[in-house]
Amino acid sequence: SNLEYLSLVQNELGDSIPPELGNLTSLTTLELYSNQLRGSIPPELGNLKNLTELLLHSNQLTGEIPPEIGNLKNLTSLNLNDNQLKGEIPPEIGNLSNLTYLRLDGNQLIGEIPVEIGNLTSLTLLYLDHNQLTGEIPPEIGSLINLTRLSLNNNQLTGEIPSEISSLTNLPHLRLEQNQL
């Protein structure tokens, strides 16, 4: 229960993430990426209130992103990319005001980009590309003035590019290709 850092990266772990990890409330870093983990992300991970890094990318995780992720107010990095996650991006993700890195790319996420994403004003990197996101780019993205990388490419986004994107004056890297804008 005193564990603060757990890294099992680049192994051949192939089962599901045990919900009991939610008991490790002293954890600040949980790195399980580059394995063959299956099943859904346990909602019990929302108990890890001290977590600053949750890195579950490059696995075979399925199911939806649990809304309990929004309880992790100290997170600075959330990497769930390159899995097989489905469903919508939960609006509770907007509670993670300390996030600097958010990667949900390379999944099968649907629905619109939640307007709550505009609350993440510390973000420097936002990758939502290579999903099946629909609807318009929310103008609230213009609030993310610290962004240096924004990738929304390879989705099914429609409508006009919001003029608020011009507020992102620190942004050298913008990808919007392969949508229906």
Side-chain angles (χ1 to χ4, degrees):
S1 60
N2 291 320
L3 202 60
E4 295 178 6
Y5 187 100
L6 178 59
S7 179
L8 300 171
V9 171
Q10 292 181 336
N11 280 290
E12 296 177 15
L13 300 175
D15 208 346
S16 57
I17 298 172
E20 291 81 5
L21 288 182
N23 298 333
L24 304 178
T25 52
S26 297
L27 272 187
T28 60
T29 299
L30 179 57
E31 297 180 338
L32 302 177
Y33 62 89
S34 297
N35 280 289
Q36 294 149 32
L37 293 168
R38 298 185 303 274
S40 56
I41 298 170
E44 290 82 358
L45 295 187
N47 298 333
L48 304 178
K49 303 283 196 314
N50 293 309
L51 213 56
T52 59
E53 293 186 302
L54 179 58
L55 310 178
L56 305 179
H57 54 284
S58 305
N59 279 293
Q60 297 164 28
L61 297 171
T62 55
E64 299 189 359
I65 300 170
E68 290 81 0
I69 290 270
N71 298 337
L72 305 178
K73 304 261 189 339
N74 290 312
L75 270 190
T76 57
S77 293
L78 177 58
N79 290 26
L80 304 178
N81 52 295
D82 297 322
N83 279 292
Q84 297 160 30
L85 298 170
K86 297 183 178 178
E88 299 188 359
I89 299 170
E92 290 83 358
I93 221 148
N95 298 339
L96 306 178
S97 57
N98 290 310
L99 269 189
T100 57
Y101 278 70
L102 177 58
R103 290 199 61 179
L104 303 177
D105 49 299
N107 281 290
Q108 298 163 28
L109 298 171
I110 60 167
E112 299 188 358
I113 299 170
V115 296
E116 291 82 359
I117 219 123
N119 299 338
L120 306 180
T121 52
S122 298
L123 275 185
T124 60
L125 182 146
L126 176 58
Y127 284 4
L128 302 178
D129 53 281
H130 291 87
N131 280 292
Q132 296 159 31
L133 298 172
T134 54
E136 299 189 359
I137 299 170
E140 289 79 2
I141 278 206
S143 304
L144 307 180
I145 56 170
N146 292 305
L147 277 184
T148 59
R149 292 182 174 268
L150 175 59
S151 291
L152 305 177
N153 52 292
N154 293 85
N155 279 292
Q156 297 163 28
L157 298 170
T158 55
E160 297 185 358
I161 298 170
S163 59
E164 290 81 357
I165 251 174
S166 65
S167 304
L168 306 179
T169 54
N170 294 313
L171 186 71
H173 183 99
L174 174 62
R175 297 193 65 181
L176 302 176
E177 75 270 15
Q178 294 186 318
N179 280 291
Q180 297 160 28
L181 299 170

